[in-house]
Amino acid sequence: MTTKILIVDDHKIVRQGLRSMLTKESDFEVVGECRNGLEAVKMSSRLQAEVIIMDISMPYLNGIEATQQIIKRNPKTRVLAMSMHENKKIIGRILKSGASGYILKNCDFSELTKAIRTLIKDKIYIDPSVINNVIEDYKDLLMIQDTSTLTTLSSREKEVFQLLTEGKSIKMIAHILLISPKTAETHRKNLMDKLGVDNLADLIKLGLKEELTPLEV
């Protein structure tokens, strides 16, 4: 039997490269590609992906929030986070969101296939290059209380928050999320009230502090 894989990355060349290499493996089947977290949330269930290779820094919805929503809908889905970040905080957040593995984008292809096959066996895989950064307190990273101000926001409010941080207008946010401008404006007001900010500039500053925007180029 083949393992159904969904590739999520905002760079087309990365998606195409991964697809080209993964399809050469007889036990892998690439069932789709997504450009951002919003697409991944929508397509993961429809495509019945078993393993999702998930970038972290993406527009519209980052990989951390996308993973959380996907795992909430289907806990059996294995998410393999793939990023350039070696920061312990970032790794901890993606694992806490429900990812089963973490690898760096500069890893060898053999490392990627090893990670995927490890996840299929219901095991966790951490890139050897960063494991020393997290192994000593790995259990703590999964158990710590999330003190981020974002914990008070709903999934939709987090989506609107990221899009506002990216500089999107209310009209554009409504178009992206398939909601009315009035609803988008209501979400904006609600999240500003919850976060205790009075203006859009302070909201964007907070979004940047929470690293909601894509950090990779």
Side-chain angles (χ1 to χ4, degrees), residues 15-173:
R15 299 195 306 271
Q16 291 179 335
L18 287 173
R19 175 185 282 272
S20 176
M21 292 186 292
L22 290 171
T23 51
K24 294 178 182 178
E25 301 294 312
S26 60
D27 54 336
F28 293 161
E29 177 188 0
V30 178
V31 294
E33 301 175 17
C34 298
R35 298 169 295 178
N36 56 66
L38 282 178
E39 290 185 359
V41 172
K42 294 176 182 177
M43 293 180 63
S44 58
S45 296
R46 180 167 62 84
L47 296 174
Q48 297 183 322
E50 297 169 87
V51 174
I52 300 176
I53 300 175
M54 180 77 73
D55 187 17
I56 292 182
S57 299
M58 296 181 291
Y60 298 171
L61 187 67
N62 62 66
I64 295 173
E65 296 300 334
T67 295
Q68 189 173 36
Q69 292 188 31
I70 289 170
I71 296 300
K72 184 177 181 179
R73 296 183 181 188
N74 187 359
K76 293 184 178 181
T77 303
R78 289 89 160 183
V79 174
L80 176 61
M82 184 175 67
S83 176
M84 292 302 296
H85 296 295
E86 298 185 36
N87 183 289
K88 183 189 296 186
K89 178 182 176 182
I90 298 293
I91 299 173
R93 286 176 63 188
I94 188 66
L95 292 175
K96 193 170 186 293
S97 72
S100 299
Y102 189 94
I103 59 172
L104 295 176
K105 282 190 172 181
N106 61 1
C107 73
D108 292 334
F109 179 65
S110 60
E111 198 73 44
L112 172 61
T113 57
K114 181 180 179 181
I116 294 172
R117 293 186 175 110
T118 299
L119 265 60
I120 295 170
K121 298 176 182 177
D122 288 327
K123 296 181 180 180
I124 293 172
Y125 188 89
I126 306 295
D127 192 303
S129 299
V130 299
I131 197 167
N132 288 334
N133 295 343
V134 298
I135 192 65
E136 69 279 0
D137 59 352
Y138 174 61
K139 291 182 179 179
D140 291 337
L141 285 171
L142 295 180
M143 299 299 293
I144 57 173
Q145 180 67 34
D146 191 347
T147 58
S148 169
T149 54
L150 302 187
T151 56
T152 61
L153 304 182
S154 67
S155 295
R156 180 64 84 191
E157 287 168 346
K158 289 178 182 178
E159 293 170 356
V160 173
F161 191 9
Q162 176 170 340
L163 292 169
L164 286 169
T165 303
E166 293 174 8
K168 302 292 190 300
S169 66
I170 289 296
K171 184 177 180 180
M172 179 60 71
I173 291 172

Side-chain angles (χ1 to χ4, degrees), residues 153-217:
L153 304 182
S154 67
S155 295
R156 180 64 84 191
E157 287 168 346
K158 289 178 182 178
E159 293 170 356
V160 173
F161 191 9
Q162 176 170 340
L163 292 169
L164 286 169
T165 303
E166 293 174 8
K168 302 292 190 300
S169 66
I170 289 296
K171 184 177 180 180
M172 179 60 71
I173 291 172
H175 175 73
I176 292 171
L177 299 180
L178 302 178
I179 57 179
S180 70
K182 183 178 180 180
T183 299
E185 177 63 23
T186 298
H187 286 309
R188 182 190 67 80
K189 290 180 179 178
N190 288 342
L191 70 90
M192 288 181 70
D193 288 341
K194 289 182 179 181
L195 297 175
V197 295
D198 300 322
N199 56 71
L200 186 58
D202 287 342
L203 185 68
I204 292 175
K205 288 179 182 178
L206 181 57
L208 293 172
K209 180 181 178 181
E210 292 288 344
E211 300 179 337
L212 293 180
T213 54
L215 300 178
E216 298 168 5
V217 294

